[in-house]
Amino acid sequence: MTYSDLGRYNEALELQKPLLEVSKQVMEKSHPETLTRTNNLAMTYSNLGRYNEALELQKPLLEVSKQVMGEDHPDTLTRTNNLAMTYSNLGRYNEALELQKPLLEVSKQVMGEDHPYTLTCTNNLAMTYSDLGRYNEALELQKPSLKFQSKSWEKSHPETLTRTNTWQ
């Protein structure tokens, strides 16, 4: 993870792939640690722009995560968001939308409307609407999201600035 944090994704990949295989053998495919390692590898692929390889890991990962941890578990929510973002990166916006709309509702229920994760989900959904040319729907999401964010973070916080720029 340190290699990933440093942006040294190829070096992270060299360690993550064998680590995941050992984890599958020693524990099992559905063990929470194995699921985390699978997610980490998928994110490394995404960071390298290798979205199809990330997708191959993320789709089954999400299904197992739902079974093992439940649909409302924070790790499952994160994995749902990651898969949606991979779909977006591949230009598969309708598939991203199918995940993002229910994800936002669950996030609001589990974490609250003004939680930073919910605000991120709101912004991601709005970006997908924009990518699909559905600008009015994007704007409807972004204006209230910015108000929540302004209460949570300072106006000069990088996330506030990013989200303000996104909807202006």
Side-chain angles (χ1 to χ4, degrees):
M1 293 312 303
T2 302
Y3 280 137
S4 286
D5 291 341
L6 291 169
R8 295 166 62 178
Y9 303 118
N10 286 313
E11 291 165 284
L13 192 62
E14 289 176 24
L15 295 174
Q16 289 173 325
K17 287 170 73 173
L19 179 62
L20 177 58
E21 291 309 310
V22 171
S23 185
K24 288 178 183 176
Q25 292 170 6
V26 173
M27 295 179 218
E28 59 185 46
K29 290 181 180 181
S30 62
H31 189 279
E33 287 296 318
T34 304
L35 297 178
T36 297
R37 290 181 180 124
T38 303
N39 185 68
N40 292 345
L41 178 58
M43 294 309 298
T44 298
Y45 281 136
S46 286
N47 288 326
L48 287 167
R50 295 167 63 176
Y51 303 119
N52 286 315
E53 290 165 281
L55 187 64
E56 287 177 28
L57 293 172
Q58 289 171 320
K59 286 171 74 175
L61 171 64
L62 180 57
E63 293 309 311
V64 174
S65 188
K66 287 178 182 178
Q67 293 169 4
V68 172
M69 301 177 151
E71 296 201 18
D72 296 352
H73 190 279
D75 288 348
T76 303
L77 299 179
T78 296
R79 292 167 186 155
T80 302
N81 185 61
N82 292 347
L83 177 56
M85 295 308 295
T86 298
Y87 280 135
S88 286
N89 288 325
L90 288 167
R92 294 166 63 174
Y93 303 119
N94 287 317
E95 289 164 285
L97 193 64
E98 288 176 24
L99 293 172
Q100 289 170 323
K101 287 169 69 175
L103 174 62
L104 178 57
E105 293 310 311
V106 171
S107 184
K108 285 178 183 179
Q109 292 171 5
V110 172
M111 298 182 192
E113 288 193 37
D114 60 346
H115 189 278
Y117 184 79
T118 303
L119 297 173
T120 296
C121 290
T122 302
N123 190 60
N124 291 346
L125 177 57
M127 289 172 50
T128 300
Y129 279 136
S130 288
D131 290 333
L132 288 166
R134 294 166 64 175
Y135 304 114
N136 288 328
E137 290 165 284
L139 193 58
E140 284 179 38
L141 287 172
Q142 290 168 320
K143 281 186 176 181
S145 175
L146 185 61
K147 288 179 187 175
F148 277 123
Q149 187 147 341
S150 295
K151 292 178 189 175
S152 303
W153 295 330
E154 295 179 24
K155 290 184 182 194
S156 62
H157 189 283
E159 286 295 323
T160 303
L161 296 172
T162 297
R163 292 195 174 115
T164 300
N165 184 57
T166 301
W167 71 269
Q168 284 185 339

